[in-house]
Amino acid sequence: MASVLVPIAYVIIVFGGLFIFSYFYRRHTSTTSFEPYFPSHPERNAYVTLLQKTNPPASDALLKAALVRRAMADVARVLKIREDKPALQTLLQKGSIGDNLWNSLLAAEKELEAEIMEVVAEANSFVDGWGQVIFPTANEMLANEKMRAAFERTAEAKTELEIKYGVKAKTLDDTTSSSSKTKQANGLVPPLKSGAESVVSSDGEGSGTPKSAKKNKKRK
């Protein structure tokens, strides 16, 4: 009889301890305030400030522009969460990070969902149906800004590489002149003749014209 009660008591103690630990752990985590994943939202604050402005009130064009900027910031945050979430989940499974960072990401994701619904409602308050297209428009504008920033960074990056490796990059004029010289060296472009050799008379005779004139005088 004692041999049967010992394993049963062991199982009860183990599962009872796990239940008590999980209860207190959930209670502790529910009351713990996590550090926000995104520190602030200046675009949302700017839109709310303009919306509350009454003397004089902000124009609809200004409010729409501020709302689009707010949507662009939300799109950037969505892309950030999509990029970070798989990596953080892998690190959490390996034990490389704590639960605080993961819970902060989940809280930011829920907050962002509510933010998106609020932006859609605000867009529909201006124009009916605008809420369906404001985020695709904001995504395109964000992509254009990234492309413009990369293009403007090209000249600076070129200068840095020239200084780093001590080599000057070829320009378009240098490439054109080198290609023309290569064509002339390969015989694709004939060399120019001097003026005395290239002049041909209108009747098709060249430098032999004076000799023919002397022959005509002798015959006479």
Side-chain angles (χ1 to χ4, degrees), residues 16-27:
L18 291 175
F19 176 76
I20 294 171
F21 173 76
S22 62
Y23 172 76
F24 284 102
Y25 180 76
R26 287 197 301 267
R27 186 176 178 181

Side-chain angles (χ1 to χ4, degrees), residues 67-68 71 115-138:
L67 187 61
V68 171
E115 166 70 12
I116 290 173
M117 296 299 296
E118 185 178 350
V119 170
V120 170
E122 290 289 335
N124 288 328
S125 66
F126 287 106
V127 179
D128 190 17
W130 188 30
Q132 299 178 357
V133 297
I134 185 172
F135 280 102
T137 304

